[in-house]
Amino acid sequence: MDRPHPDRVRTSALDFWLARSAVACVAALQLLVVNDFSLGPRWLAPTLELALLVPLSAATAWNQGRARRATTDAHWAEVHRHHRLIRRMALFMTALVTVTNTAALAALVHALLNGKAAGGPTLLIDALNIWGTNVVIFALWFWTTDRGGAALRGHPSARDPDFLFPQMTLPQQDAAAPFVPGFVDYLFLAFTNATAFSPTDTLPLTPRAKLLMMAEALISLLTVALVAARAVNILA
């Protein structure tokens, strides 16, 4: 028998707008890289990212509207099918920005090791740019992958959590309204992992989460320990 399911999909717009803003921020940072460390023309990667962001945002808003109007099992089956397609598109876009930022870091490291890099100030600016982009990118990875994605997170149909946030361990947590992490929580997680090179207050629970945190820490370590240190030496 058909029945309503009001809590199957989250339709709060704030987290999704924050994630869209994060992608736009990554595109802007890639355009601001001083040296030529991009794959292809400097404008290519940001253009591809924004070209993917526009239909992805429209599809997300459309599917959220369907979720608000859904009243039957057939309606919810369609909502979840489209959610899976949208999430795959979001993962592809996140993978694209990860590849472009990692390629920029590899090109910068190669230039340093071969003595072809420009002056110290531009190296330091590009190192900070790549590090900041790395933080935003992995915040997107954490936000997109944890518990099946933002739309399903915190509901009975959600998967087991990939991360243990400290709010989830509080004894006074309301079982009827459990803590649901937002984009800012994942941004803080990415920032602390990139600065401490290890988990701080939030612990990874699944192999996928551990591998993501390892990858972010490795990229951050290369940026800070090799690139920034070399730039400071040049300045000295």
Side-chain angles (χ1 to χ4, degrees), residues 170-183:
L170 297 177
Q172 67 270 26
Q173 184 177 190
D174 186 357
F179 168 75
V180 179
F183 185 78

Side-chain angles (χ1 to χ4, degrees), residues 2-236:
D2 292 341
R3 59 189 184 277
H5 298 279
D7 292 329
R8 282 190 175 179
V9 173
R10 295 180 69 200
T11 56
S12 174
L14 177 59
D15 254 19
F16 294 93
W17 278 112
L18 289 174
R20 293 163 193 159
S21 300
V23 176
C25 178
V26 166
L29 288 172
Q30 290 173 334
L31 287 172
L32 293 174
V33 171
V34 178
N35 298 281
D36 187 15
F37 297 132
S38 58
L39 288 173
R42 184 187 298 267
W43 52 266
L44 180 60
T47 301
L48 289 175
E49 292 155 11
L50 295 176
L52 287 171
L53 178 62
V54 171
L56 179 60
S57 300
T60 301
W62 173 75
N63 203 46
Q64 287 179 325
R66 286 171 59 93
R68 296 187 189 100
R69 298 188 298 270
T71 57
T72 68
D73 283 336
H75 292 162
W76 282 108
E78 282 296 300
V79 169
H80 281 274
R81 185 173 71 86
H82 286 106
H83 166 70
R84 288 191 293 270
L85 293 174
I86 292 168
R87 185 167 177 265
R88 288 170 188 166
M89 185 177 176
L91 289 171
F92 174 77
M93 182 177 64
T94 308
L96 174 64
V97 296
T98 304
V99 169
T100 56
N101 193 58
T102 305
L105 174 61
L108 183 53
V109 172
H110 181 267
L112 279 169
L113 295 178
N114 287 275
K116 299 178 182 178
T122 62
L123 288 181
L124 186 56
I125 291 172
D126 284 346
L128 292 174
N129 188 321
I130 292 171
W131 183 88
T133 304
N134 184 53
V135 170
V136 177
I137 287 173
F138 277 91
L140 288 168
W141 274 117
F142 301 152
W143 181 78
T144 307
T145 57
D146 188 23
R147 304 189 219 181
L152 298 180
R153 198 158 33 243
H155 294 302
S157 57
R159 302 174 185 173
D160 292 334
D162 290 276
F163 299 98
L164 179 65
F165 288 87
Q167 294 92 328
M168 296 163 60
T169 64
L170 297 177
Q172 67 270 26
Q173 184 177 190
D174 186 357
F179 168 75
V180 179
F183 185 78
V184 173
D185 297 294
Y186 295 104
L187 181 62
F188 179 77
L189 169 61
F191 178 82
T192 55
N193 187 51
T195 52
F197 312 120
S198 65
T200 53
D201 65 334
T202 301
L203 301 177
L205 300 178
T206 62
R208 173 176 59 188
K210 293 174 182 178
L211 288 173
L212 283 173
M213 293 189 72
M214 287 171 59
E216 184 196 11
L218 176 60
I219 295 172
S220 180
L221 181 63
L222 283 173
T223 307
V224 174
L226 178 61
V227 180
R230 178 67 179 272
V232 171
N233 288 336
I234 293 174
L235 285 172

